[in-house]
Amino acid sequence: MAEYVGIDLGTTLSGLAYLKPDGNPEIVPNADGERLTPSVVFFESHEDVKLVGSAARDGGEPDRTIFQIKRYMDDPEHLVEIDGKKWTPAEISALILSKLKRDCSKICGDINEVVITVPANFNELARKSTIAAAEMAGMKVRRLVNEPTAAAVYYAHSQGVKGRILVFDMGGGTLDTTILDVDGDSIKILTSEGARHLGGSNFDDILLEAYEEQYKKQTGAALYSGERHRRRVLQATEDAKKMLSKLQRVNDTVANDTNSGIARIDLSRDQFEKMIRNMLTRSVFLVEQALDSAKLKPSDIDHVVLVGGSTRIPKVKSMLEKIFGKTPKSCGNVDECVALGAALFAKKSSRIQEVCNASYGTLAMVYNAKTKEEKLMNSIVIPKNTPIPCSRTQVYQTSEDNERVIEVDITQGEDEDAKFVDVIGRLTLDVPPNRPKGCEVAVTFSYDENQRVRALVVDKQSGRSKEVAVTYKGAGVLSDEELKRRSHHLRAMRIE
Amino acid sequence: MFKILKSLSKSLGSSAKATEAKPAAAKEGTLLDKVSKVSAAAAKAEPPKSPEEMCGITPKMSKDEVKAQLKLLFRRYNRSASSLDAKLRNEADRMLDAIVQMREKHFGEI
Ligand SMILES: Nc1ncnc2c1ncn2[C@@H]1O[C@H](COP(=O)(O)OP(=O)(O)OP(=O)(O)O)[C@@H](O)[C@H]1O
Ligand SMILES: [Mg+2]
């Protein structure tokens, strides 16, 4: 049996690693002989088989092929309908995880418990869906760990470094920047900032537009008329993008699916860099945001570590070098280190100090004595980046005489402006009648290692209190029974 | 400075002060709906034109003030760029474009 196993469930590629007896992690290849498995599922109709990986990516019919399901892990309305059955993002992910489990256990032994990585800014629902996916695939989730944390664990392990590290993880779908303190085996996360939809596939889309434009200009026709051909061209743009990480120029020819002739595409690295500059500037903002959150300057960072396939783009490296004045290092294979780190994390998690990924608070009327202004604001109780586990209390006052019910909205988000935070739950507490306004109410939030939040409201005068676990209960979260039923179903499927 | 506990329903229902700035909020629908409608409505209220106007950058502002404003806006809209509400997401994307343009104008390209 493989005791310590880590899985990187990526937007475009997924990988599994286990800890060898000598304490070093190793990537386990799938049954197709690949170290990483494309996160693509094809629902084959004739043989009733679900293909996962390269075969699915390269072969299938577009309307039966699912790409990038990770982008929808927190969308309860995103259902994929195939032959009349509706699949949730968690179920599709479960198919990918099932393949990894089935294929890899032939090499490293049975896999029962795993650590799975998620982007640092994955919300509660996306985290839950990820856990549900693993359970459906027949694996217990020991812990979820943030992708940049896992990468840093691997970097620290393999390079034996000490000091303050900034991990810049730009993958296929997301960008994460995390700052951490490393000293031997112990790691302290200082902050994580993420951009949900910033990654390699955005660059592919931008290139696709350029291809379309060129094609139109040269032939007067549209480059594709259907999804199947669009996918093919998109694959070609991804290949061109990768070539431009090595070469200054690429030449390509493209044809459409309605015989309108061939167009020549001539693309330089310079042009490509211009096209993606907007996206890269956003990534610089995010790096600065991480530095600000940790109250650090670029010169306070000892090592800049590159993670994720998109950091192979030379401009990404030079842009970071410009900010930090030092050459960023990659930790071995940039698209394997997250899985490798997750396997290490499975064993070492107790040595790693993590922080809250978001701020939690409540809505309050805040009265400013100076300006005499009163404003509805998001009042933060636990600020983002507080080391976890933790618990914080803030005391408020009631606003009206004879208030009978105290309502506390639970918010997630850093913004002071209530418009820009999410209200993720509500707690109501009945209190005795006939009291004047201004009674004190204590609101306490606690945050545990699994990034779960609890809220407690105490009415100080009456001593009455109420506590709830802050969780997404509504749409998109399966009941335990339903989860069991679906896991059972999934285990009987042919997945290759 | 003291803080008075207010839930969204109360603020929207009874307190005139709280809703003053957000007239569109006092409609039916779920609370979460209201929050997102508030910002969508706020965004629509005055159709923004130049990136300067969108980001609230004025010629009088110092370089540091511009920087601080862009940072605040980036933090805000980067977050709403991952909203499940497509409208908010698109609006965030437009804002992020404007923020990038302003940065390039005032601080040069990356
Ligand atoms: N040489 C290269 N040059 C540019 N981009 C590359 C190169 N190699 C890989 N990529 C891009 O890297 C991305 C995949 O990276 P990675 O495997 O780290 O992402 P992921 O883990 O699937 O996604 P995420 O971490 O966002 O969930 C793809 O968009 C791919 O096109
Ligand atoms: Mg990744």
Side-chain angles (χ1 to χ4, degrees), chain A residues 380-450:
Chain A
I380 292 172
V381 179
I382 295 188
K384 184 182 160 115
N385 297 331
T386 306
I388 54 175
C390 63
S391 177
R392 293 283 160 90
T393 302
Q394 167 89 49
V395 177
Y396 299 91
Q397 300 179 358
T398 55
S399 60
E400 280 150 46
D401 292 332
N402 194 23
E403 200 159 353
R404 298 296 311 274
V405 181
I406 293 174
E407 291 179 346
V408 180
D409 283 325
I410 299 161
T411 63
Q412 184 181 44
E414 285 69 65
D415 219 297
E416 279 191 342
D417 191 330
K419 289 195 301 256
F420 294 94
V421 296
D422 295 326
V423 177
I424 59 168
R426 162 175 298 183
L427 231 163
T428 54
L429 178 68
D430 293 323
V431 289
N434 301 324
R435 305 190 309 173
K437 65 180 175 188
C439 290
E440 289 195 331
V441 180
V443 177
T444 302
F445 284 92
S446 328
Y447 203 103
D448 73 13
E449 293 87 348
N450 286 317

Side-chain angles (χ1 to χ4, degrees), chain A residues 32-266:
Chain A
D32 310 316
E34 299 162 324
R35 296 169 68 79
L36 297 171
T37 303
S39 311
V40 185
V41 179
F42 170 50
F43 290 80
E44 209 283 335
S45 54
H46 305 295
E47 298 179 38
D48 191 25
V49 55
K50 278 85 196 157
L51 293 182
V52 175
S54 300
R57 183 190 58 194
D58 302 335
E61 300 151 53
D63 47 0
R64 305 180 71 88
T65 308
I66 317 305
F67 290 83
Q68 304 201 352
I69 195 65
K70 185 173 170 181
R71 291 193 166 210
Y72 307 99
M73 290 299 270
D74 63 348
D75 188 349
E77 273 157 32
H78 188 92
L79 295 174
V80 177
E81 191 171 339
I82 307 272
D83 300 329
K85 178 182 164 18
K86 289 186 175 132
W87 296 74
T88 61
E91 283 175 291
I92 308 268
S93 300
L95 293 170
I96 300 167
L97 291 171
S98 287
K99 174 172 169 82
L100 290 176
K101 176 180 154 83
R102 289 179 193 186
D103 285 11
C104 298
S105 58
K106 287 180 197 143
I107 295 172
C108 67
D110 280 350
I111 299 167
N112 301 320
E113 242 192 28
V114 291
V115 164
I116 300 191
T117 64
V118 289
N121 68 339
F122 243 27
N123 62 23
E124 174 87 6
L125 182 50
R127 283 168 195 267
K128 278 214 155 147
S129 302
T130 306
I131 293 173
E135 285 176 359
M136 283 188 256
M139 295 181 283
K140 190 171 173 302
V141 177
R142 190 191 287 262
R143 275 282 286 276
L144 292 180
V145 62
N146 294 338
E147 286 157 13
T149 304
V153 170
Y154 178 66
Y155 183 77
H157 172 86
S158 61
Q159 313 285 318
V161 294
K162 197 177 152 156
R164 211 165 277 140
I165 298 180
L166 180 135
V167 178
F168 184 90
D169 177 359
M170 193 184 252
T174 51
L175 168 66
D176 268 328
T177 55
T178 293
I179 302 176
L180 16 76
D181 254 331
V182 176
D183 187 359
D185 246 6
S186 45
I187 292 184
K188 243 166 65 190
I189 314 294
L190 302 179
T191 188
S192 267
E193 303 287 348
R196 238 343 243 296
H197 301 291
L198 209 174
S201 52
N202 296 90
F203 307 155
D204 302 341
D205 288 340
I206 292 172
L207 272 179
L208 180 66
E209 264 176 47
Y211 272 47
E212 278 176 59
E213 216 178 277
Q214 271 301 314
Y215 193 80
K216 183 110 207 174
K217 217 161 144 190
Q218 292 179 37
T219 68
L223 181 51
Y224 50 84
S225 63
E227 181 59 19
R228 184 188 289 253
H229 195 64
R230 194 188 77 90
R231 282 266 162 226
R232 289 220 178 105
V233 185
L234 197 63
Q235 186 63 52
T237 64
E238 187 183 351
D239 292 343
K241 171 187 77 176
K242 289 184 183 170
M243 290 285 274
L244 285 172
S245 292
K246 295 201 167 125
L247 306 173
Q248 291 290 342
R249 272 207 114 72
V250 292
N251 293 308
D252 202 357
T253 50
V254 281
N256 72 357
D257 46 352
T258 47
N259 283 326
S260 314
I262 286 176
R264 222 184 112 82
I265 308 282
D266 188 17

